[in-house]
Amino acid sequence: MLEIIGILGGGAMGRGIAQVALQNNKSVIVYDVMPNAAEIIIKHLTATFDFLMAKDKITNDQKNEYLGNLKIVDSMQKLADCDLIIEAIIEDLQLKKTVFNDLSKVLKSAAIVCSNTSSFSLTAIASAYKDPSRCLGLHFFNPAPVMPLVEIIPAYQTDPLLVEQLKAEMTQWKKTPVVAKDTPGFIVNRIARPFYSEALRIYEENLATKEDIDLAMRQIGGFKMGPFELMDFIGHDVNFSVTNSVWQATFYDPKYKPSLSQQKLVEAGFLGRKSNRGFYTYGADSNVQNLESTPMEKLKPIFDRIITVLINEAYDALYWQLADPEDIELAMTKGVNYPKGLLAWGKEIGLENIKSRMDALHNAYKEERYRCSQYLSRYSG
Ligand code: NAI
């Protein structure tokens, strides 16, 4: 039984994961290096539980029980009794490896040691721990208490039994676990790339405005937000760095090449909603338009192009067996709220249509970026 959960890093993700574990009646120990960590983390979680109480989601007794099961510690040694460790420190590979190496001196041999990394190789992180077979990726989505998806990513060295054990544990935590290969971006952050990159490409080529691209994806596709709204919401620093890391980690596959216009926003500090300016402007000078008057004939080709490249990417993930088809569908609907699974969406549109649209893009641009997945080339006919 995994009773005592240790969390390294009490930032946005670490706190969210702590909340999930507490609400599943676990004892939680958080270790963070920031000064006043205890004060800050307890304040945050108390405010969260107060909010849930005000909404009648939890009782006062539950709140007290959860906070009673939470310990914030000031040294890694105090994680010694943990059954499951979830590392959620800043995204820095060298630092993560140092932390895994340090944990080697602290943890019992039966401990399961996970990283919440969004972009690094679990195989590389696990190699820093005394027994890499006990390490794997456990990737929550932001905000962790709200998003059901958790990607479980075995490293090259991981004992396969741990994957099953974590799947059962995450199901108990009322999460939706999927298993992903240890490849750049895992499932969600890889398959979702064209949602942003194709939108940016259409915008940079001046084939459509950002407003029309957003509208096309919302109105025709049923996505909750268009690509530009969503990038502004996520933050361009975060979104750009995920794209950049997937691109670099795939040995610069042109499919994932980052966009210059997004890089400019990052350089300018126009990071999106959090800085009141990204592609759109927010606050008093807001230029967010809700005009829904663009004719359908203009929106349809925009939607067709973006959904085609997305579906191609999902079938490519299937071709390379990055995950089971059911997990690919769950990942996109439960991790990033897509209105439908992309594999099913492809069948609805017709795989031969997706293939011929990809081939048309490839012929028009003569760029590797638009190569059709082998899956579609082989099986769509
Ligand atoms: P954050 O910056 O909010 O929090 C990181 C925390 O780690 C800070 O409180 C910092 O003081 C602490 N920390 C730094 N070095 C430490 C060390 N050596 N030992 C203990 N604590 C240390 O970062 P955030 O957003 O919570 O991300 C954490 C991890 O989760 C990263 O690996 C990130 O890639 C991943 N992730 C982030 C998502 C997001 O949307 N923010 C989504 C999914 C994964």
Side-chain angles (χ1 to χ4, degrees):
M1 289 290 273
L2 305 175
E3 286 309 332
I4 310 180
I5 315 300
I7 298 176
L8 283 113
M13 292 308 291
R15 283 197 305 270
I17 298 167
Q19 183 193 333
V20 175
L22 289 167
Q23 290 190 264
N24 283 286
N25 306 312
K26 303 289 176 181
S27 287
V28 174
I29 308 178
V30 181
Y31 168 61
D32 193 300
V33 288
M34 67 183 156
N36 310 327
E39 199 185 311
I40 295 167
I41 296 165
I42 290 173
K43 197 168 140 200
H44 262 281
L45 283 167
T46 305
T48 303
F49 291 136
D50 282 339
F51 174 79
L52 292 176
M53 240 172 69
K55 295 191 104 191
D56 283 333
K57 300 254 174 162
I58 62 169
T59 63
N60 192 37
D61 284 352
Q62 282 174 312
K63 171 190 152 184
N64 291 333
E65 195 187 322
Y66 299 154
L67 290 173
N69 286 336
L70 172 68
K71 236 193 299 180
I72 316 295
V73 296
D74 57 5
S75 105
M76 200 188 265
Q77 311 301 323
K78 295 181 181 153
L79 298 173
D81 292 332
C82 291
D83 303 307
L84 171 66
I85 290 281
I86 304 170
E87 169 276 306
I89 69 165
I90 48 169
E91 192 72 345
D92 176 321
L93 180 60
Q94 246 344 295
L95 196 57
K96 284 185 192 284
K97 286 178 84 170
T98 305
V99 161
F100 270 64
N101 183 44
D102 293 346
L103 284 169
S104 300
K105 294 162 211 142
V106 172
L107 299 178
K108 55 190 181 191
S109 58
I112 302 178
V113 194
C114 300
S115 173
N116 187 48
T117 180
S118 312
S119 56
F120 297 131
S121 152
L122 274 311
T123 302
I125 297 175
S127 71
Y129 188 64
K130 61 180 171 189
D131 178 0
S133 75
R134 305 297 301 169
C135 300
L136 65 175
L138 190 61
H139 186 218
F140 288 82
F141 288 75
N142 193 13
V146 178
M147 300 307 287
L149 191 77
V150 181
E151 290 177 330
I152 298 176
I153 308 120
Y156 194 81
Q157 311 94 320
T158 306
D159 175 351
L161 288 177
L162 293 193
V163 175
E164 295 313 312
Q165 198 179 346
L166 267 192
K167 249 163 94 175
E169 185 71 17
M170 288 303 107
T171 307
Q172 248 184 38
W173 290 22
K174 299 167 224 52
K175 291 290 176 193
T176 305
V178 294
V179 179
K181 259 197 193 152
D182 186 16
T183 52
F186 315 129
I187 308 176
V188 170
N189 279 338
R190 177 177 185 137
I191 296 180
R193 291 313 351 119
F195 188 69
Y196 315 109
S197 62
E198 212 39 39
L200 285 161
R201 178 69 185 247
I202 294 170
Y203 169 77
E204 285 171 359
E205 284 191 51
N206 205 19
L207 300 175
T209 63
K210 57 186 186 304
E211 287 83 2
D212 279 350
I213 299 171
D214 280 346
L215 184 59
M217 298 316 283
R218 270 191 277 110
Q219 210 169 68
I220 309 179
F223 288 86
K224 292 218 168 71
M225 283 190 208
F228 295 93
E229 298 161 321
L230 185 55
M231 285 184 277
D232 273 4
F233 181 78
I234 294 169
H236 292 285
D237 47 346
V238 174
N239 190 263
F240 181 76
S241 108
V242 175
T243 304
N244 212 4
S245 80
V246 171
W247 179 53
Q248 289 179 20
T250 52
F251 306 113
Y252 304 99
D253 185 329
K255 274 202 293 186
Y256 307 113
K257 192 166 136 190
S259 131
L260 284 174
S261 52
Q262 191 177 33
Q263 185 184 37
K264 289 291 161 232
L265 290 181
V266 176
E267 288 169 351
F270 299 156
L271 303 180
R273 278 180 182 267
K274 61 185 165 192
S275 51
N276 261 344
R277 181 164 175 191
F279 279 110
Y280 297 103
T281 309
Y282 302 88
D285 304 325
S286 172
N287 67 350
V288 179
Q289 296 178 0
N290 279 317
L291 299 175
E292 311 247 314
S293 56
T294 309
M296 194 54 90
E297 319 73 272
K298 213 172 146 197
L299 298 181
K300 182 79 168 62
I302 302 170
F303 167 74
D304 283 352
R305 177 160 162 179
I306 297 175
I307 201 72
T308 295
V309 186
L310 268 174
I311 289 169
N312 183 59
E313 191 63 32
Y315 274 97
D316 209 43
L318 188 59
Y319 183 73
W320 293 104
Q321 297 158 52
L322 301 189
D324 290 340
E326 307 77 54
D327 282 2
I328 291 178
E329 300 294 69
L330 277 175
M332 304 317 285
T333 50
K334 305 284 184 188
V336 271
N337 273 328
Y338 280 16
K340 284 182 233 180
L342 291 169
L343 302 176
W345 213 335
K347 286 189 183 140
E348 230 173 76
I349 296 172
L351 296 190
E352 60 296 345
N353 289 330
I354 301 293
K355 179 186 171 335
S356 61
R357 289 182 196 170
M358 284 306 296
D359 288 343
L361 282 166
H362 194 243
N363 281 339
Y365 286 102
K366 311 270 184 296
E367 285 180 50
E368 263 290 284
R369 166 192 177 94
Y370 294 111
R371 66 185 187 268
C372 184
S373 169
Q374 269 304 309
Y375 189 99
L376 297 172
S377 299
R378 287 185 190 199
Y379 307 119
S380 70

